[in-house]
């Protein structure tokens, strides 16, 4: 069975590698154009491009697919049975969706219709969801509105960061899409279920502004945000007029004025919130590397009673 693949980040590269290892013929890989990255702003290939080249696969990098006759012809010429899409980053118009014999399957990191959109992993953690997962979805022209082919659940642990859930769902998605492709190869079709109209939520794109800590919020809310925004865009507060990132924190049953430093020492940096307090255990002052709160306390004059508001 011939399978076109379209994706860009690590989440997608894992699926591409799994498909190749399972023996599927992959005549074409689509990924985003090389982008400048790092301090030197050198052009860097996406993880999917790097994986595809290592596997000896043909890679194309169109800037867009809409009204792109050349790209559409390449897709048709591949004569693929199906296209698998994972975090590609480009909108697929109807003529592209229709190009493969069995259309396009998407690996989506949520339990649809919960968390359609750009940041499903982060929004699930931020909202306090007990579980999330991966859906293999038959793509249509809507935003994550297609029929669900298979669903694979993951219980979110109380300490999970977005990075940890990402890695778990990345592996889960790679296994799931291979299993569904093998089923399609055996049976010539995939059963699917229409998404229910109830329970639709949208995972809006993350912003640096919303990642700023508002100490008037409950500690439980802030603890979820810190986990949800780790590693990007990273929750932060101001310290000495500069942003200080907060990487890990836990809720403690203490109280004080919102933003008030309750303790700063070997056990962490404890700050009062609108309800209860946060004990910060890992942080990153501006211009420094990530460090434990204990290491920070040893080198900074942050005393009990000071305010981070």
């Amino acid at each position: 069975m011939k399978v076109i693949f379209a994706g860009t980040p690590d989440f997608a590269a894992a699926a591409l590698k799994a498909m190749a290892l399972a023996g599927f013929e992959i005549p074409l890989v689509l990924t985003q154009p090389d982008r400048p990255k790092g301090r030197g702003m050198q052009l860097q290939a996406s993880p999917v491009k790097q994986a595809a080249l290592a596997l000896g696969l043909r890679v194309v990098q169109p800037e867009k697919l809409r009204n792109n006759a050349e790209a559409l012809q390449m897709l048709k010429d591949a004569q693929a049975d199906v296209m698998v899409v994972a975090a590609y980053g480009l909108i697929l118009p109807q003529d592209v969706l229709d190009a493969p014999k069995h259309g396009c399957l998407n690996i989506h990191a949520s339990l649809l219709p919960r968390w359609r959109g750009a940041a499903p992993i982060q929004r699930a953690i931020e909202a306090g969801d007990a579980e999330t997962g991966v859906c293999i979805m038959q793509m249509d022209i809507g935003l994550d509105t297609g029929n669900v082919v298979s669903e694979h659940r993951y219980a979110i642990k109380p300490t999970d960061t977005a990075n940890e859930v990402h890695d778990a769902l990345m592996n889960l998605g790679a296994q799931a899409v291979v299993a569904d492709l093998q089923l399609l190869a055996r049976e010539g079709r995939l059963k699917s279920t229409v998404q229910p109209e109830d329970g639709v939520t949208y995972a809006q794109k993350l912003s640096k502004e919303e990642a700023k800590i508002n100490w008037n919020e409950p500690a439980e809310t802030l603890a979820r945000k810190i986990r949800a925004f780790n590693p990007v865009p990273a929750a932060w507060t101001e310290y000495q007029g500069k942003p200080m990132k907060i990487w890990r924190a836990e809720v403690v049953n203490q109280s004080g004025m919102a933003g008030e430093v309750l303790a700063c020492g070997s056990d962490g940096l404890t700050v009062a919130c609108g309800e209860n307090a946060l004990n910060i255990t890992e942080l990153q002052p501006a211009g420094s590397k990530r460090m434990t709160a204990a290491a920070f306390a040893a080198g900074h004059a942050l005393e009990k009673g000071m305010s981070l508001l």
Side-chain angles (χ1 to χ4, degrees):
M1 190 167 70
K2 289 185 179 181
V3 185
I4 296 172
F5 186 82
T8 299
D10 290 323
F11 186 92
L16 176 62
K17 293 173 186 176
M19 288 163 49
L21 184 63
F24 292 104
E25 182 180 352
I26 306 171
L28 189 64
V29 174
L30 283 71
T31 191
Q32 289 270 345
D34 297 357
R35 307 292 188 196
K37 192 173 182 180
R39 292 188 176 182
M41 296 302 286
Q42 297 292 315
L43 286 178
Q44 184 169 322
S46 73
V48 162
K49 181 179 179 179
Q50 294 176 44
L53 293 178
L55 291 166
L57 303 175
R58 181 189 177 196
V59 179
V60 294
Q61 299 173 271
E63 289 281 354
K64 63 175 185 175
L65 291 177
R66 191 180 300 278
N67 299 321
N68 187 336
E70 182 180 0
L72 180 60
Q73 191 59 51
M74 276 193 295
L75 294 174
K76 290 180 177 179
D77 290 345
Q79 297 183 331
D81 295 285
V82 67
M83 179 158 76
V84 171
V85 182
Y88 179 29
L90 290 184
I91 294 173
L92 273 60
Q94 191 64 54
D95 53 6
V96 169
L97 294 173
D98 294 339
K101 179 180 178 181
H102 295 285
C104 300
L105 297 177
N106 177 241
I107 308 171
H108 183 76
S110 85
L111 300 176
L112 292 167
R114 181 72 166 165
W115 302 122
R116 295 173 178 173
I121 293 173
Q122 294 88 342
R123 297 305 182 191
I125 295 173
E126 183 186 20
D129 291 3
E131 66 176 357
T132 185
V134 168
C135 281
I136 306 300
M137 179 190 69
Q138 187 79 49
M139 295 181 71
D140 60 18
I141 203 66
L143 176 62
D144 301 328
T145 55
N147 291 1
V148 174
V149 173
S150 65
E151 180 183 82
H152 312 266
R153 295 176 177 268
Y154 172 82
I156 300 175
K157 296 186 286 293
T159 58
D160 271 343
T161 65
N163 192 57
E164 290 160 345
V165 176
H166 167 278
D167 288 354
L169 298 191
M170 175 177 68
N171 294 325
L172 190 60
Q175 296 166 13
V177 78
V178 165
D180 284 340
L181 289 174
Q182 289 170 336
L183 182 62
L184 177 60
R186 288 196 307 270
E187 301 189 2
R189 62 186 293 270
L190 289 173
K191 296 179 181 179
S192 63
T193 304
V194 176
Q195 292 186 38
E197 295 182 4
D198 294 335
V200 174
T201 50
Y202 289 92
Q204 300 294 333
K205 186 177 179 180
L206 306 176
S207 70
K208 184 178 180 181
E209 291 72 24
E210 69 173 314
K212 183 178 181 180
I213 293 294
N214 177 0
W215 294 106
N216 289 296
E217 292 187 305
E220 180 62 42
T221 300
L222 295 179
R224 292 199 305 264
K225 285 187 175 182
I226 290 166
R227 292 190 294 115
F229 299 156
N230 180 349
V232 177
W236 61 283
T237 189
E238 286 191 4
Y239 172 66
Q240 295 184 339
K242 296 180 180 180
M244 180 169 70
K245 295 178 180 179
I246 301 176
W247 293 111
R248 291 189 183 271
E250 58 188 5
V251 179
V252 291
N253 187 20
Q254 297 184 39
S255 61
M257 295 293 292
E260 177 187 359
V261 175
L262 302 179
C264 186
S266 59
D267 293 331
L269 169 61
T270 306
V271 183
C273 305
E275 181 181 312
N276 291 324
L278 278 182
N279 185 47
I280 300 166
T281 56
E282 186 177 5
L283 48 75
Q284 185 175 3
S288 299
K289 295 180 179 180
R290 291 171 67 153
M291 63 181 71
T292 64
F296 173 79
H300 293 79
L302 192 57
E303 299 178 353
K304 182 178 179 179
M306 293 179 64
S307 178
L308 294 181
L309 277 180

